[in-house]
Amino acid sequence: METTLIILKPDAVQRRLVGTIIGRFEQKGLQVVGMKLMKISPDLAARHYQDHSSKPFYPALVKFMTSQPVVVMALSGVGAIAICRNLMGATFGSKAAAGTIRGDYGISNSFNLVHGSDGPEAAQRELGLFFSPGEIHSYPMAGDTWVYDASSGKPE
Ligand code: IDP
Ligand code: MG
């Protein structure tokens, strides 16, 4: 089981795509274990995007991400990090494949609707930035007996 940080960026909220995008993750079989609407502070944006601080697009990225509220989610599932990245599609909306969230709903290369952690260390770090431990809930999903095949003893 993995948990990943997903952010529905300001463009997703402003374009009323929150329900649609959450639906894409839910329909895949991922479990929402944390979720809130919030405005990201400049300090939090800087910590979240610390690896990009020297990139030319960094100032615009921080301005965008702090401009309006976002929805942050913690999503769990077997292989959730890579599964979410695949559902999101390539970074640039102009290039993302049809069938992905970025490919289906956006054109912009910067306003690309959704953030997802890119690996286990990033997921752990980013979840810690956006959620306190009490805001992430571990709970059984009745439907998981049909999302995963547990006949071998572990969910597959
Ligand atoms: P990712 O979100 O697919 O992981 P990253 O390379 O980590 O992509 O970039 C973080 C975010 O910065 C992107 O989602 C996008 O909003 C923005 N970004 C990345 N590259 C560019 C660019 O070349 N121009 C403008 N914005 C960019
Ligand atoms: Mg990234």
Side-chain angles (χ1 to χ4, degrees), residues 52 85 115-116 118:
H52 293 307
R85 294 285 294 188
H115 166 84
D118 64 8

Side-chain angles (χ1 to χ4, degrees), residues 2-3 50-51 81 117-128:
E2 284 178 344
T3 304
Q50 64 184 27
D51 294 346
I81 296 168
S117 307
D118 64 8
E121 295 83 37
Q124 201 181 359
R125 187 181 77 82
E126 294 172 0
L127 287 164

